[in-house]
């Protein structure tokens, strides 16, 4: 049985002498609380944020808006957990999309030199990507500092939900049923619409889907082009955010980031595999109502001071 060392009788001042405890304890090298609960809580946060990122990135509900709300209301935005976590786990969603579309990407890339249709589609994706690339590079810091506000997120979720519901119910003249065959001006207009999604809560996929549908695409082709456009857009945004946050990177949270990355990958993979068929059969109503409900609950919580 372990026994504490006894105190010496008195010191020079006539007071009881403290026992000769190990130096590590006296210096505070041994924490008063075990590290396991802290690690488990960080893993729980990584799981929640990974699920939110993976499930919402390719749906017209705004992944950035949902991440900001979760971080705000659940206290997941502390400095210790890392401001760059959401940026890093986004790569899991990107990789899920690339893994599913890998064969088609390879076919288009290899056929680009001999197939005019493949070459034209690559040009169309680049044209659609260009507006967001320019605006993002020029206004990145302003967007992050001014627009990343939970009040703005809640309002844009509600407004975006109403627009999504309105467009989904319109009797539109659908002329395009293949995302690779849109006109070049149409690709550019969709790219302009994507710039609006830099406001958190708008949704990148939501803006591009709505624009494509208004320009004559059916639901499925509009949703699929949002996937194609997501590849350069998300990869570019990820690389830029990673570069801007390079000074905050640390190896201390490697396990936590890897766990969040894996969760994000799995959830995004499920969404990409099922979203197109769902939208074709059932439309966008579910996502419109989800946006309105989440935005309204967020505003109520903010008004109550939470």
């Amino acid at each position: 049985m372990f026994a504490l060392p006894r105190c010496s009788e008195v010191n020079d001042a006539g007071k009881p002498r403290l026992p000769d405890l190990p130096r590590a304890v006296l210096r505070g090298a041994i924490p008063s609380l075990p590290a396991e609960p802290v690690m488990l809580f960080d893993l729980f946060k990584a799981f929640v944020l990974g699920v939110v990122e993976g499930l919402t990135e390719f749906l017209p509900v705004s992944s950035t808006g949902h991440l900001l709300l979760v971080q705000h209301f659940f206290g997941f935005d502390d400095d210790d957990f890392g401001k760059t976590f959401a940026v890093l786990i986004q790569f899991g969603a990107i990789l899920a999309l690339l893994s599913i579309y890998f064969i088609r990407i390879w076919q288009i890339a290899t056929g680009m030199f001999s197939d005019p249709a493949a070459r034209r589609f690559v040009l169309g994706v680049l044209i659609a990507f260009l507006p967001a690339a320019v605006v993002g590079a020029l206004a990145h810091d302003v967007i992050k500092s001014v627009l990343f506000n939970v009040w703005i997120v809640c309002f844009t979720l509600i407004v975006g939900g109403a627009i999504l519901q309105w467009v989904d119910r319109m009797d539109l003249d659908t002329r395009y049923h293949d995302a690779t065959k849109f006109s070049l001006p149409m690709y550019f207009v969709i790219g302009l619409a994507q710039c609006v999604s830099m406001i958190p809560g708008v949704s990148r996929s939501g803006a591009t889907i709505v624009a494509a549908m208004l320009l004559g695409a059916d639901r499925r082709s509009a949703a699929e082009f949002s996937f194609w456009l997501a590849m350069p857009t998300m990869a570019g945004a990820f690389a830029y955010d990673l570069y801007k946050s390079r000074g905050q990177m640390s190896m201390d949270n490697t396990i936590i980031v890897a766990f969040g990355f894996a969760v994000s990958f799995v959830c995004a993979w499920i969404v990409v595999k099922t979203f197109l068929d769902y939208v074709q059969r059932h439309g966008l109503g579910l996502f419109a109502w989800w946006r309105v409900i989440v935005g309204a609950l967020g505003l109520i919580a903010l008004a109550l001071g939470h």
Side-chain angles (χ1 to χ4, degrees):
M1 186 174 180
F2 181 79
L4 289 173
R6 294 183 179 181
C7 295
S8 300
E9 292 182 359
V10 292
N11 60 15
D12 295 338
K15 295 181 180 180
R17 186 182 304 229
L18 291 173
D20 294 328
L21 295 175
R23 291 184 179 181
V25 176
L26 295 178
R27 291 178 181 175
I30 299 177
S32 57
L33 292 175
E36 286 80 1
V38 177
M39 181 66 172
L40 288 175
F41 184 57
D42 281 347
L43 287 174
F44 171 71
K45 291 194 287 187
F47 175 79
V48 172
L49 295 176
V51 168
V52 172
E53 166 64 25
L55 291 183
T56 61
E57 183 60 57
F58 302 111
L59 298 179
V61 295
S62 178
S63 61
T64 302
H66 278 72
L67 286 173
L68 287 174
L69 291 177
V70 170
Q71 289 172 332
H72 177 81
F73 289 115
F74 292 91
F76 288 0
D77 55 350
D78 55 284
D79 291 331
D80 293 336
F81 192 56
K83 297 290 187 181
T84 60
F85 179 78
V87 176
L88 293 173
I89 63 171
Q90 187 183 50
F91 187 63
I94 299 172
L95 192 61
L97 179 62
L98 293 177
S99 67
I100 293 173
Y101 275 76
F102 176 78
I103 295 177
R104 294 186 64 185
I105 294 171
W106 179 259
Q107 290 172 341
I108 290 174
T110 54
M112 190 170 55
F113 304 100
S114 58
D115 183 4
R119 191 160 51 245
R120 180 182 174 281
F121 179 59
V122 172
L123 178 62
V125 173
L126 292 177
I127 289 173
F129 167 66
L130 185 61
V134 173
V135 174
L138 295 177
H140 177 273
D141 293 339
V142 174
I143 292 170
K144 289 279 187 178
S145 60
V146 177
L147 298 180
F148 274 50
N149 180 289
V150 288
W151 285 94
I152 293 177
V153 168
C154 292
F155 279 114
T156 52
L157 281 174
I158 295 172
V159 173
I163 294 174
L164 203 65
Q165 186 78 278
W166 171 61
V167 172
D168 191 48
R169 292 185 175 184
M170 290 178 66
D171 184 17
L172 298 170
D173 179 22
T174 56
R175 305 184 304 278
Y176 299 98
H177 305 279
D178 186 342
T180 65
K181 300 187 184 305
F182 295 170
S183 67
L184 293 182
M186 182 173 172
Y187 287 126
F188 181 69
V189 174
I190 294 172
L192 290 176
Q194 181 177 234
C195 295
V196 181
S197 69
M198 294 182 184
I199 304 172
V202 170
S203 170
R204 181 199 54 77
S205 62
T208 55
I209 289 172
V210 165
M213 289 177 62
L214 290 175
L215 292 171
D218 64 0
R219 293 191 191 106
R220 186 183 181 89
S221 62
E224 185 168 32
F225 185 70
S226 77
F227 288 168
W228 285 108
L229 186 53
M231 296 176 195
T233 302
M234 290 178 62
F238 169 77
Y240 190 74
D241 279 337
L242 195 63
Y243 171 77
K244 296 285 286 187
S245 305
R246 64 191 185 280
Q248 303 175 22
M249 296 300 167
S250 170
M251 294 299 292
D252 296 340
N253 291 324
T254 303
I255 296 176
I256 297 169
V257 171
F259 181 62
F261 172 92
V263 172
S264 174
F265 175 89
V266 172
C267 292
W269 193 91
I270 294 171
V271 168
V272 173
K273 291 291 287 185
T274 59
F275 180 55
L276 296 183
D277 287 337
Y278 179 87
V279 166
Q280 186 178 29
R281 295 176 182 176
H282 306 288
L284 301 168
L286 173 64
F287 310 109
W289 281 111
W290 175 264
R291 292 175 60 102
V292 171
I293 292 171
V294 171
L297 291 176
L299 287 178
I300 293 172
L302 289 171
L304 294 176
H306 292 292

